[in-house]
Amino acid sequence: MKSISDAAIAAMTDGNAISSAAIVINCSPPVAVWGGYGQLVLDGITFDGIGDRGLVQLMGASLGDSEQNVGLQLSGVEPDIVALFDATQVRGAPVKIWLLIFDGSGQIPLDAQVYTAGRLDTLQVVETVGGTSTICASVETQARGLGRSGQRMRTDADQRLIDAADSGFRVVSFAGNKTLYWGGYKPTSVATLGWSPLPTAN
Amino acid sequence: MTLITPLSMPSGAKDQVFEIQRVDYLAPEARGRIGGVTAGFPLWKMTCTLGTLTVAQSDQWRAFVSAQRGAQRLFMAFDIGRKMPRNYQAGFPSGFSGQASGWSQSIDGNNFAILTLTGLPAGLSLVTGDYVQFSWGTFQRALVRLVESATVDGTGKLSATIEPAVPALVPPSALASLAQPCCLMKLTSDTKLGPVGRRGAIESGTIDAIQDLRP
């Protein structure tokens, strides 16, 4: 639960808030940028202003639905961001995104909230001839990582990979499978229910 | 002779749109209320239409557009109707260069930005729509527009509401000036020059540019 400051709520109610975002990608060296102009210091990190308005594409998500990645759309020719191309260990680098709310004049910061934190998944460079050059960075959140299953099953062969002398699974012929939904409701759709509410045509 | 960058805009444009661009995400509701937030910070945007030009002006515009190399170079963009404050189109009172000795900005209770300039000649009268330029570094510029009229008081001080607010990246040491206020822009891909007619001048064209605000 985020507690947004009263001033920011008031500005949003009046409809005169200016929103922006700040992003730090902890590769080596770290890349810290925000959507305004000039430098911004937040949580002890100095962010370089890149004046980019479409910094964060917030992906839609609904309660109980599977976790979505967050897409970052960055300029492919901005000097502060092009460092990403050279940075080592970019893949899997921790990423933190703040949502910033300013007053209508853009001068008074009203609130800064961590929107999401995760790890950098894919970096896609999209270049349109005669158009724009952008880096689309996909940020995978922790919840998505939790939803990924491993390859090993509860079988005798796989158990012996862990301990060759362990024969605890030798009489198990079927590996049970149970899906757990962490932090949400079980998604319900025709596909997951396994039956169709509509009569078939034939 | 070599050209000095950033170049200034040539003259002769038929008309010009020189306004603040804001990107708003609006959320209108059925009960009539319009909610919304502004994404990012405002910038100046300019669109000039070229109409009938003299051959010399046409050559100037074609040279200007080619020297810009698309969006590679910055240029000095200004409101062609307000190269000088409206009351001083022919020049300032003698002894005044147009430069204020100091400036400060405050945000009032209604989120309006109030700019205070000092060191101006007493009685100098600025009107709505006049511009103030901030310059620093080698050629960095920021531009604001007065949205109310104001007169300099006896101590040489003037306070007026401006739009947009002076961007946070403008250093306090920047020089505020009323003379030939401009900001730095880059051409966008919407810039098109029309065909050259029998007169030897281009007959149409659109110059489209957006402010490039940099520290």
Side-chain angles (χ1 to χ4, degrees), chain A residues 11-20 34-39 49-54 56 101-108 110 130-131, chain B residues 21-23 25 33-43 105 107-108 110-113 164-169 189 210-211 213-215:
Chain A
M12 283 190 281
T13 310
D14 289 349
N16 60 19
I18 290 183
S19 77
S20 190
W34 78 290
Y37 303 98
Q39 289 191 327
I50 54 170
D52 204 336
R53 290 155 165 173
V56 185
I101 300 166
F102 289 82
D103 75 322
S105 69
Q107 301 295 302
I108 305 171
L110 300 177
Chain B
Q21 187 201 47
R22 288 175 188 275
V23 179
Y25 294 142
R33 178 173 186 160
I34 296 182
V37 294
T38 302
F41 297 87
L43 290 175
Q105 177 178 243
I107 308 297
D108 76 359
N110 293 320
N111 277 328
F112 278 120
V166 183
L169 66 79
S189 55
I210 182 108
Q211 188 183 6
L213 191 62
R214 50 178 68 195

Side-chain angles (χ1 to χ4, degrees), chain A residues 140-161:
Chain A
E140 188 178 87
T141 61
Q142 199 79 302
R144 196 168 172 84
L146 284 172
R148 189 172 289 130
S149 63
Q151 290 293 316
R152 290 186 184 174
M153 304 295 281
R154 275 72 61 198
T155 63
D156 189 39
D158 280 351
Q159 184 61 26
R160 282 179 194 274
L161 282 176

